Amino acid sequence: MRRESLILGGIGAVTLIIVVVAAVLLSGPQSQSKNSTSKVTDMALLYGPEAERESTGTPSAKVTIVEFGDFQCPACGAVYPIVKKIKADYKDKIYFVFRNFPLPQHKNGAVSAEAAYAAGLQGKFWEMHDLLYGSQVEWGEKPEAQAKSLITGYGQTIGLDMDKFNESVSNNAGNTKIQKDQNDGYALGVDSTPTFFINGEKFAGVLSYDQFKKLIDDRLK
């Protein structure tokens, strides 16, 4: 009987140790998901300066979407038609802001961001935005000089004053604004593209139309 008690006691002790160790491990630091449920409350940091903001929709809308994107990023190119449909379907029910986040591994990311900025100076940011994403396969992986030539052609396509456009791109006139977008992105924890903030909540990566729709509809209730 004593021997059985000792065996049972030993088993109980081992079990207790396992439970304690498991509890310690579970209470330790957990790896965080890329999509955090924490909410950004600093709207100035999230949206950027109003005077330089590229946005569509209604600023007072119940749902706001901010995208940090890279025009050369294949994932951004893949999600572009989905985002375009979302913007068309929800129109004034959402407020959409685009911010530049060219990644260092994309050799044409910076020049394409400069081109979009230069087009924006002439009131045609979104036209250039759409052409860059829609034609990404044509210029994205080309040598920089060739990509720049193709992008210059897009400026002609959308009817820009080409002298002003070329001067802006050549002088890197958008560098300060683009760097501001990137710095704000880093401060918000952006480390990949595309990254979306929906009502201040971060969602990294490509979202399907249905995922966007659910996230928006839930917030419109």
Side-chain angles (χ1 to χ4, degrees):
M1 187 72 178
R2 179 176 174 78
R3 184 168 175 273
E4 290 177 355
S5 298
L6 288 173
I7 291 171
L8 291 173
I11 292 172
V14 170
T15 303
L16 180 61
I17 290 170
I18 291 171
V19 171
V20 170
V21 170
V24 170
L25 289 173
L26 290 172
S27 64
Q30 302 295 306
S31 60
Q32 292 186 348
S33 168
K34 261 189 164 183
N35 295 332
S36 172
T37 55
S38 61
K39 192 176 249 189
V40 175
T41 56
D42 187 342
M43 294 299 106
L45 182 66
L46 183 58
Y47 295 155
E50 186 174 358
E52 299 179 345
R53 192 179 302 163
E54 299 297 352
S55 60
T56 62
T58 305
S60 60
K62 196 172 180 180
V63 178
T64 62
I65 303 174
V66 179
E67 177 186 0
F68 283 82
D70 175 342
F71 289 111
Q72 192 186 342
C73 166
C76 295
V79 81
Y80 159 69
I82 296 170
V83 172
K84 185 176 181 180
K85 181 169 173 52
I86 284 292
K87 288 191 292 184
D89 289 352
Y90 284 90
K91 296 179 182 177
D92 296 335
K93 292 181 181 179
I94 64 172
Y95 182 53
F96 186 92
V97 178
F98 180 87
R99 305 199 68 182
N100 293 284
F101 202 82
L103 299 170
Q105 65 265 36
H106 292 151
K107 60 189 176 185
N108 296 320
V111 69
S112 53
E114 284 284 356
Y117 175 84
L121 293 178
Q122 298 185 45
K124 293 193 174 183
F125 171 85
W126 291 107
E127 288 86 342
M128 181 60 81
H129 168 281
D130 291 351
L131 260 178
L132 287 170
Y133 276 135
S135 305
Q136 188 188 75
V137 67
E138 296 177 3
W139 62 269
E141 294 301 324
K142 294 288 193 298
E144 187 174 346
Q146 193 174 350
K148 193 170 182 179
S149 176
L150 287 166
I151 291 170
T152 298
Y154 301 154
Q156 293 175 323
T157 298
I158 61 177
L160 297 179
D161 180 321
M162 294 308 295
D163 288 336
K164 291 180 180 178
F165 175 75
N166 288 328
E167 181 181 4
S168 176
V169 173
S170 297
N171 294 334
N172 296 320
N175 183 64
T176 300
K177 198 268 184 188
I178 293 165
Q179 191 62 58
K180 167 70 174 167
D181 284 357
Q182 284 184 303
N183 290 342
D184 287 354
Y186 288 129
L188 293 164
V190 176
D191 59 6
S192 63
T193 57
T195 293
F196 298 94
F197 289 85
I198 302 178
N199 281 11
E201 292 183 38
K202 179 183 171 189
F203 298 88
V206 176
L207 299 179
S208 69
Y209 179 86
D210 288 341
Q211 286 174 316
F212 267 118
K213 188 177 188 308
K214 184 176 189 318
L215 289 167
I216 293 170
D217 289 344
D218 285 350
R219 287 158 179 76
L220 284 174
K221 291 176 181 176

